[in-house]
Amino acid sequence: MEDSSAYAIIAGYEALWERSSRMLAFACEEDWNRLLEEEADYVVDVERLSKLEGGQALDANQSERKALLLEGILENDLDIRRRLEKRREELAALLNTSQRKRSVDSAYRATSGSRVLGGPARFQKGDA
């Protein structure tokens, strides 16, 4: 393999690691919109790197560097997934609370139009 191709591959993995680090930072900040934007670019970069690499072999030093970068990318990914799972649980709890509130509101609305049985006949003005 040409040295320039090997350097481009390693540079691609370094860029992926940097992007995954930014994604993790956005997840830590709970900036979900920026995380999604960065993730879309990440997917494009992964596809581009996959085509560039094309099964080409790297020398021992390059393979070691690639392995270290992949390890960092996977660690970032795991941390991002944990934070996303926590966010999903928070949203599920909010949704559950909202659904319960709607159920209670609906129950009160349904009973607000009903009258107490025998109410008007039992309680006449002047009865004490």
Side-chain angles (χ1 to χ4, degrees), residues 4-124:
S4 63
S5 295
Y7 288 125
I9 291 168
I10 298 303
Y13 280 101
E14 288 171 345
L16 281 179
W17 177 80
E18 289 171 7
R19 190 173 298 280
S20 73
S21 295
R22 284 192 302 273
M23 290 167 57
L24 177 56
F26 294 142
C28 290
E29 296 166 4
E30 297 183 357
D31 190 342
W32 309 117
N33 290 332
R34 289 181 68 192
L35 172 62
L36 290 173
E37 292 169 2
E38 195 73 26
E39 185 176 23
D41 292 336
Y42 178 88
V43 169
V44 170
D45 288 349
V46 167
E47 290 176 12
R48 184 179 308 129
L49 182 57
S50 177
K51 289 177 185 175
L52 177 65
E53 195 167 15
Q56 298 286 330
L58 300 174
D59 67 27
N61 289 336
Q62 294 162 339
S63 292
E64 184 178 336
R65 178 71 177 143
K66 176 184 168 182
L68 289 172
L69 290 165
L70 280 171
E71 185 176 324
I73 291 167
L74 292 173
E75 287 173 3
N76 288 346
D77 182 64
L78 182 60
D79 201 359
I80 291 166
R81 287 179 190 270
R82 286 183 184 139
R83 292 172 187 279
L84 286 172
E85 287 172 9
K86 179 183 173 206
R87 178 63 176 159
R88 184 183 64 207
E89 290 168 4
E90 290 169 355
L91 291 174
L94 287 172
L95 184 59
N96 189 22
T97 300
S98 176
Q99 288 171 339
R100 280 187 304 207
K101 183 182 181 314
R102 276 188 297 214
S103 294
V104 169
D105 289 347
S106 177
Y108 278 115
R109 276 194 300 274
T111 61
S112 68
S114 64
R115 295 191 160 156
V116 175
L117 291 175
R122 283 183 59 195
F123 303 106
Q124 296 296 325

